[in-house]
Amino acid sequence: MSRRLHPIDEVFRQKLAQHSAETPHHLWERIDRERNARMARRHRLQQRYALAALLVIGLGAGIMSWYAKIEVSPTLGSFPLPEEPVLLAEACPPAATPPPQPIAIAKPESKPQRTLLAVVPLPEAELQPVASLNNQLNEATLLELPTASYSALNAALQMSMLPLLLQEVQSAPLPMPRASGCASFTGGKFKFYFDAMAAPSMALRSLKPTDENYAPYADSRRATELPRYTYGAALQLSAVYNNTWALRSGVHYSEIRERFAYTIENEVRTIITNIYGQNGTIIGTDTTIEANARQVVANNRYRTLNIPIILGYEKNFNRFSLSINGGASINILFEPNGEFLSPKDNRPVTFSNDTRAEAAYPAFREGLGLSFYGSVGVQYYLSPRLQLLVEPHVNAFTRSFTREDFMTDQRYLTAGVFVGLRHQFQL
Amino acid sequence: MSEQDLIAGCLRENRECQAVVFQRYAGKMLSVCMRYARHRMEAEDMLQDAFIRVFDHIGQFQYHGSFEGWIRRIVVNTALKKYQQKSFRDEVIGIEEGYDLQLEPSIYADLHEEELLNLIAQLPDGYRVVFNLYAIEGYSHAEIGQMLGIEESTSRTQLLKARRILQDQIVKMQKIAV
């Protein structure tokens, strides 16, 4: 700042550095209005994020609590015991007791492949000793035992404090439980999966004028905007009930790409190039004037981030499984960027839905609302917990990407094939 | 209301405080915008964008310098966003030699602020920006090169050309006046 200024610089600085211009009255109103609109938009976006987060958290919590209620804390009523009265520790009166009566464990008549230790109904007065045994050998009363274990168990029982009572039990017939419906403390009816997928896709666009008068503009846009590749990616969690019904959610990202190409005829450009001397100083400039056609090319992108809520039906076939899925997606982010023909003068102009993007035409919405999702998936087990996943899918956006008051209604349906991995995990 | 109270009010999104801040600094900042813009309407758009940024980011003001200086930096940065590197690559007007006219100091003294603003507005985009940054804001060529993403030598050339055009215009104005 302490450098010596050229006289002309000095004059301009002195007279303009602190110069104040008269401000028009409407300017503050414009700023105030714009800020209010931006805050309202920000508020809406925050609400949308909060709603999406609540949905995901609520679904997760619902699944977790259901899972915990059904599988993690099984009740005794779910055990596969016979219908006959059963002696339980909780049913026993504390220590009010006559002396123990002898019971015996019956030896198998022939060589049984499986044997079960069971307890027959006894008069209430005789319950206490059995209850004590039941507490010590709780698992033995519930599980099927191999034959080899039988003699060891018998020996153990005979060594216990209640040999006589056990001998009496031995003399009674052994009821066999139903084979099916064994309680399970691992796995459960719910299985949880994490999917990571990516997809090449294609986007089908519908571009219609909102009024007959805008048909030529819609035509010119169709002529200058051509589809290019589209792709998507997804991270999602699935809860599958009984290997059949699935509830899935996560985040789906997609990027629709188009190419904008427009030729400006007879554009004049002047290019100035510096000419340097031998010591590196500028000794002059070259001015080149070009007058020719120039093609404006831009890669247009429509990026979306959605939270899907998907219901699925699954069917297993050995190492394969098939799934059919359908649901809705809530759009939480929409970013259109690129160029198109301005409705005002049919000249190229950038577009965006970001109000901070200067000179961008405000043609697009800030959010896309709901879209519908459908897919058919094929999964192949690479290992017991890892599956290869191939999932052809479609996603239909229900709202136009453009604003309601814009001249065209622009909608998309994307179709692609997700390929990825599905990992089973335990909570 | 003190400057600190105003800033605190703006942080609470108090509209009255925001209005006072705008009224206090809008005139000077509009003058800054007019130096960078091609015309008044563009300058008003710049000012609007700049003040929206001021209110959005007022929490970042650290009281290290003057509040006016902080606002001015935001206004200048907003103006510069309009003119990306393209303005400096594809300049429309060129001068083949960087020579310098020596004018009488009295000629400058007679010029009014509005006339100077008009002269600056007639400069091509790149020249206008470099002249503003160097001559009025006080940035060095190295800083300008960094801000605009151009070579330091390009900044020097643009400044020479801007001065030359301004001197020519001033001479023409004097001839018309005589």
Side-chain angles (χ1 to χ4, degrees), chain A residues 206 306 327-331 365 367-373 395-402 404 409-414:
Chain A
S206 152
N306 299 323
S329 286
I330 303 161
N331 177 254
R365 292 178 189 274
L368 298 175
L370 277 182
S371 60
F372 292 112
Y373 179 88
N395 197 33
F397 291 92
T398 56
R399 296 175 82 185
S400 170
F401 279 28
T402 47
E404 279 178 18
D409 181 286
Q410 185 175 341
R411 289 169 197 260
Y412 287 90
L413 184 141
T414 59

Side-chain angles (χ1 to χ4, degrees), chain B residues 2-141:
Chain B
S2 74
E3 200 168 83
Q4 281 197 337
D5 292 339
L6 282 177
I7 294 168
C10 291
L11 277 169
R12 294 192 306 270
E13 300 282 347
N14 183 316
R15 291 174 69 191
E16 285 177 20
C17 292
Q18 290 174 342
V20 174
V21 167
F22 178 78
Q23 283 154 14
R24 192 173 288 185
Y25 299 107
K28 279 186 182 175
M29 297 310 143
L30 182 59
S31 177
V32 174
C33 291
M34 284 166 69
R35 285 193 276 111
Y36 287 90
R38 295 184 189 89
H39 45 77
R40 175 117 188 167
M41 275 179 65
E42 194 175 69
E44 289 179 7
D45 287 345
M46 277 181 190
L47 189 71
Q48 178 181 336
D49 291 345
F51 265 96
I52 285 172
R53 282 184 194 176
V54 165
F55 295 133
D56 278 351
H57 298 106
I58 200 160
Q60 293 170 13
F61 177 59
Q62 300 290 314
Y63 296 93
H64 290 153
S66 75
F67 187 45
E68 183 183 329
W70 182 75
I71 294 176
R72 182 183 285 258
R73 273 201 301 282
I74 290 179
V75 171
V76 170
N77 285 333
T78 307
L80 293 184
K81 275 192 77 178
K82 284 263 181 200
Y83 306 105
Q84 303 296 335
Q85 267 188 295
K86 188 168 170 268
S87 305
F88 304 93
R89 284 202 307 267
D90 305 335
E91 201 49 85
V92 180
I93 297 172
I95 296 172
E96 275 62 32
E97 291 179 23
Y99 61 95
D100 199 5
L101 281 177
Q102 295 298 322
L103 298 180
E104 286 293 319
S106 60
I107 294 176
Y108 296 127
D110 295 337
L111 293 167
H112 294 288
E113 285 87 349
E114 297 303 324
E115 288 174 318
L116 295 179
L117 283 173
N118 280 336
L119 288 173
I120 290 178
Q122 288 167 25
L123 290 172
D125 292 345
Y127 301 175
R128 186 170 66 248
V129 172
V130 171
F131 181 78
N132 271 317
L133 290 173
Y134 184 89
I136 303 175
E137 314 292 352
Y139 290 103
S140 68
H141 286 299

Side-chain angles (χ1 to χ4, degrees), chain B residues 109-174:
Chain B
D110 295 337
L111 293 167
H112 294 288
E113 285 87 349
E114 297 303 324
E115 288 174 318
L116 295 179
L117 283 173
N118 280 336
L119 288 173
I120 290 178
Q122 288 167 25
L123 290 172
D125 292 345
Y127 301 175
R128 186 170 66 248
V129 172
V130 171
F131 181 78
N132 271 317
L133 290 173
Y134 184 89
I136 303 175
E137 314 292 352
Y139 290 103
S140 68
H141 286 299
E143 288 170 326
I144 294 169
Q146 209 169 13
M147 288 164 82
L148 302 176
I150 58 174
E151 293 289 321
E152 204 177 315
S153 58
T154 308
S155 172
R156 289 181 197 283
T157 317
Q158 305 264 4
L159 179 68
L160 287 175
K161 291 171 181 173
R163 280 186 191 142
R164 179 71 190 118
I165 292 174
L166 290 171
Q167 286 172 330
D168 284 345
Q169 292 296 323
I170 291 168
V171 169
K172 275 184 199 168
M173 285 168 64
Q174 292 302 314

Side-chain angles (χ1 to χ4, degrees), chain A residues 154-233:
Chain A
N154 200 12
L157 289 172
Q158 284 176 356
M159 289 172 66
S160 74
M161 60 180 289
L162 302 166
L164 294 175
L165 181 64
L166 288 173
Q167 281 171 21
E168 191 162 305
V169 172
Q170 189 180 24
S171 64
L174 290 176
M176 301 298 288
R178 287 185 294 274
S180 60
C182 290
S184 168
F185 286 87
T186 57
K189 291 185 175 179
F190 270 105
K191 288 181 179 171
F192 296 93
Y193 298 93
F194 172 73
D195 302 344
M197 307 178 284
S201 311
M202 56 181 286
L204 303 173
R205 184 174 83 164
S206 152
L207 186 76
K208 295 174 184 168
T210 52
D211 187 284
E212 280 182 8
N213 296 325
Y214 304 144
Y217 173 66
D219 289 341
S220 60
R221 279 198 62 193
R222 282 191 208 103
T224 53
E225 294 169 35
L226 297 171
R228 295 185 72 208
Y229 62 89
T230 294
Y231 66 87

Side-chain angles (χ1 to χ4, degrees), chain A residues 85-278:
Chain A
V86 174
L87 296 180
L88 301 172
E90 289 79 3
C92 300
T97 52
Q101 298 297 314
I103 59 171
I105 296 176
K107 286 186 178 177
E109 290 176 1
S110 59
K111 277 191 172 180
Q113 293 302 309
R114 292 173 175 225
T115 305
L116 183 86
L117 176 65
V119 182
V120 295
L122 288 173
E124 194 172 335
E126 296 176 2
L127 289 178
Q128 176 58 30
V130 179
S132 302
L133 171 67
N134 201 17
N135 281 340
Q136 287 172 18
L137 300 170
N138 194 24
E139 300 228 347
T141 62
L142 299 173
L143 302 173
E144 291 178 334
L145 298 176
T147 308
S149 306
Y150 183 86
S151 55
L153 175 64
N154 200 12
L157 289 172
Q158 284 176 356
M159 289 172 66
S160 74
M161 60 180 289
L162 302 166
L164 294 175
L165 181 64
L166 288 173
Q167 281 171 21
E168 191 162 305
V169 172
Q170 189 180 24
S171 64
L174 290 176
M176 301 298 288
R178 287 185 294 274
S180 60
C182 290
S184 168
F185 286 87
T186 57
K189 291 185 175 179
F190 270 105
K191 288 181 179 171
F192 296 93
Y193 298 93
F194 172 73
D195 302 344
M197 307 178 284
S201 311
M202 56 181 286
L204 303 173
R205 184 174 83 164
S206 152
L207 186 76
K208 295 174 184 168
T210 52
D211 187 284
E212 280 182 8
N213 296 325
Y214 304 144
Y217 173 66
D219 289 341
S220 60
R221 279 198 62 193
R222 282 191 208 103
T224 53
E225 294 169 35
L226 297 171
R228 295 185 72 208
Y229 62 89
T230 294
Y231 66 87
L235 295 173
Q236 64 184 25
L237 295 171
S238 304
V240 182
Y241 178 70
N242 212 13
N243 286 330
T244 307
W245 295 104
L247 184 62
R248 312 184 201 280
S249 187
V251 285
H252 283 192
Y253 171 81
S254 81
E255 185 165 318
I256 300 170
R257 287 181 164 242
E258 290 171 356
R259 178 186 162 93
F260 170 74
Y262 180 78
T263 304
I264 301 173
E265 304 291 344
N266 297 321
E267 188 181 68
V268 177
R269 297 175 73 211
T270 306
I271 300 167
I272 299 168
T273 314
N274 292 335
I275 300 170
Y276 295 92
Q278 285 184 340

